[in-house]
């Protein structure tokens, strides 16, 4: 995100996708629900989750 969460973390995990998107802070596990359009404006960079090929 462009702006960090109050706990100081800038990384979030996407939990649910739809017209509203639910994200979880990687630092304090606080969950937020934002509209898709608002979230797309706030996102700075997308880091894909790595796949475990074991």
């Amino acid at each position: 995100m462009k702006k960090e969460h109050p706990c100081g973390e800038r990384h979030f995990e996407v939990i649910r996708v739809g017209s509203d998107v639910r994200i979880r802070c990687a630092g304090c596990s606080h969950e937020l629900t934002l509209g898709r359009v608002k979230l797309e404006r706030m996102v700075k960079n997308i880091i894909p989750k790595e796949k475990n090929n074991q």
Side-chain angles (χ1 to χ4, degrees):
M1 303 281 275
K2 293 179 183 177
K3 185 177 177 184
E4 64 185 28
H5 192 253
C7 72
E9 185 64 45
R10 286 182 166 244
H11 295 97
F12 293 84
E13 177 183 357
V14 176
I15 299 171
R16 180 174 110 39
V17 178
S19 61
D20 291 331
V21 179
R22 177 162 233 144
I23 58 175
R24 178 181 297 141
C25 176
C28 65
S29 299
H30 181 79
E31 294 185 5
L32 304 162
T33 302
L34 300 168
R36 178 185 285 272
V37 175
K38 184 175 181 177
L39 180 69
E40 287 176 354
R41 284 187 297 220
M42 294 173 66
V43 170
K44 183 175 182 180
N45 192 340
I46 297 174
I47 302 171
K49 199 171 196 176
E50 294 183 27
K51 296 180 182 178
N52 292 333
N53 294 328
Q54 295 178 355

